[in-house]
Amino acid sequence: MQQATTAPETSYYDYIIVGGGTAGCPLAATLSRNSTVLLLERGGSPYGNPNITNLSAFGAALSDLSPSSPSQRFVSEDGVLSARARMLGGGSCLNAGFYSRAATQYARDAGWEGGLANESYGWVEKVVAFEPPVREWQSAVRDGLVEAGVVPYNGFTYDHISGTKVGGTIFDTDGRRHTAADLLQYADPDGLTVLLHATVHEILFRIKVHLGYTGEPRPKAHGVVFRDASGVKHSAYLKPASKNEVIITAGALGSPQLLMLSGLGPADHLKAHNITVVLDQPLVGQGMSDNPMNAVFVPSPVPVGVSLIEVVGITRFGSYIEAASGENFAGQSSPVDFGMFSPKIGQLSTVPPKQRTPEAIAKAVETMSALNPAVFQGGFLLEKVMGPLSTGHLELRTLNPNDNPSVTFNYFKEPEDLQRCVDGIRIIERIIESKAFSKFKLDYLTVPALLNMTASFPVNLLPKHANASTSLEQFCKDTVMTIWHYHGGCQVGKVVDRDYKVLGVDGLRVIDGSTFNSSPGTNPQATVMMLG
């Protein structure tokens, strides 16, 4: 890895990959075996950063709002706070670590060759996937799921099968995270150049017209312009060969944003920003989706160890049940941090989405910091809607690739998404009331009381509607958060073909979560790495 400031003003490669994330790293590794590859990453290196490496520090990177943070916060137009990665290894540097493959049917629908997909998953798993420890609290959730009817119990498996299972994790037995950047160990170092703090500003196109050719001339990608940390401009070009390509792996926000900044997108929108239109492609930025997540905090009468996601219930009605626990809600760190459900990282279900202002977050952090740590003993049971069916769109706000685009997800616009949330919360109620979970529940707290929990609890699930515990629909809408599985914007069949080639231009592909029509498996990272 080297800093982009060391790069020459002009360079030439067989492949140029934009975005060193969960898809970009494995892609660069495999292509480097037979070609020269330039991998451009706008963030820094994950190595030597304990906030990324250590399981116990989960949430620290997400709550770091500094310009050099590995995470960049954004707020959707729906009012839900979220984050995007800015680091070699991408989202695998920030997430809760759960590793689980897509369903066989998902792979079939995507047109992936089954044997090749399985081989690619195996290639990823050799380096980054582990079996989690599953201690007492996660075991209680697992047994509670089975008691609640999420059957059969399928044991430990990476496969997506209906029922309850223990999935993989990218945290090893010492609690150390292994990110997609680790997949670069498969690369041929002679074939790969990795530049850090390299922000791509545009893809360069030229119009190719053959002699005697009468059709519409097609734009062909032939390079990119990027800037280093000092703001100095560099150009990287493809060597002249028919197979050479620019490949965009910048994520569900970054990829459609970069296509638009480069002149590929809805013509009217591009013209409004004074961008020269290379190709009028109205579907760039469409089909944006984010799987809604809703959680219930369950205070425990006994101390609970730290665990991120280890167990999942794959229901037959389209909801996934997962859980996280432990001292990282009160934490050894001061001021108090709350892991996956911290207001510091924007997971603030205490107030309805549109009211989640910086002031509201600051107030929540302050309130929580003043509380007795015993209050935070316990864990969260969460529910994620599969799909989802509701979609929105993405638009440019500025011409600066470092700025977040504007994105709308339209959570629960489709009634089926809302029904799946309600059904998922009902399963969570059954887990809380199960025999298996009884040790970790305070007898006097009924499920409605948990749903309408008082303000003294960390993520006070008291929405602004007094009937939250009686109307689960209202509860779902008011307490919606992200589980960071947003996708779409460059979808297969709309913006790219089944080989991920951008329609209407040559020499350009997009390979990442922006191409998905729905989120793969219970958690997408395994499939994004496999795809790369």
Side-chain angles (χ1 to χ4, degrees), residues 481-523:
M481 297 180 283
T482 185
I483 190 166
W484 304 286
H485 298 169
Y486 50 86
H487 52 276
C490 298
Q491 290 173 312
V492 171
K494 294 173 182 167
V495 174
V496 298
D497 67 15
R498 286 207 153 196
D499 292 318
Y500 301 89
K501 292 181 175 177
V502 177
L503 298 164
V505 300
D506 292 328
L508 184 65
R509 289 189 214 228
V510 178
I511 303 176
D512 58 23
S514 71
T515 65
F516 296 157
N517 294 303
S518 67
S519 193
T522 61
N523 299 65

Side-chain angles (χ1 to χ4, degrees), residues 229-251:
S230 310
V232 175
K233 211 157 132 180
H234 304 256
S235 304
Y237 297 102
L238 295 177
K239 290 179 180 172
S242 61
K243 285 239 165 75
N244 294 354
E245 290 177 332
V246 174
I247 306 173
I248 311 302
T249 52

Side-chain angles (χ1 to χ4, degrees), residues 332-349:
Q332 287 65 47
S333 63
S334 185
V336 179
D337 212 328
F338 313 95
M340 208 166 146
F341 299 94
S342 165
K344 285 194 198 167
I345 64 175
Q347 295 295 53
L348 189 64
S349 68

Side-chain angles (χ1 to χ4, degrees), residues 182-200:
D182 291 11
L183 297 169
L184 292 171
Q185 67 194 51
Y186 281 119
D188 178 344
D190 295 335
L192 180 62
T193 303
V194 179
L195 295 182
L196 302 176
H197 298 112
T199 303
V200 174

Side-chain angles (χ1 to χ4, degrees), residues 98-162:
F98 198 64
Y99 183 98
S100 188
R101 297 179 175 195
T104 315
Q105 191 55 49
Y106 186 100
R108 228 174 263 140
D109 294 344
W112 300 332
E113 201 265 288
L116 187 58
N118 285 340
E119 203 183 325
S120 303
Y121 277 123
W123 180 90
V124 171
E125 286 150 11
K126 273 213 267 302
V127 175
V128 304
F130 304 88
E131 183 172 352
V134 194
R135 300 192 177 95
E136 217 179 356
W137 194 83
Q138 289 276 349
S139 302
V141 173
R142 174 196 65 201
D143 299 345
L145 272 162
V146 173
E147 228 179 290
V150 186
V151 291
Y153 174 57
N154 294 310
F156 166 67
T157 177
Y158 294 139
D159 292 335
H160 186 92
I161 323 165
S162 286

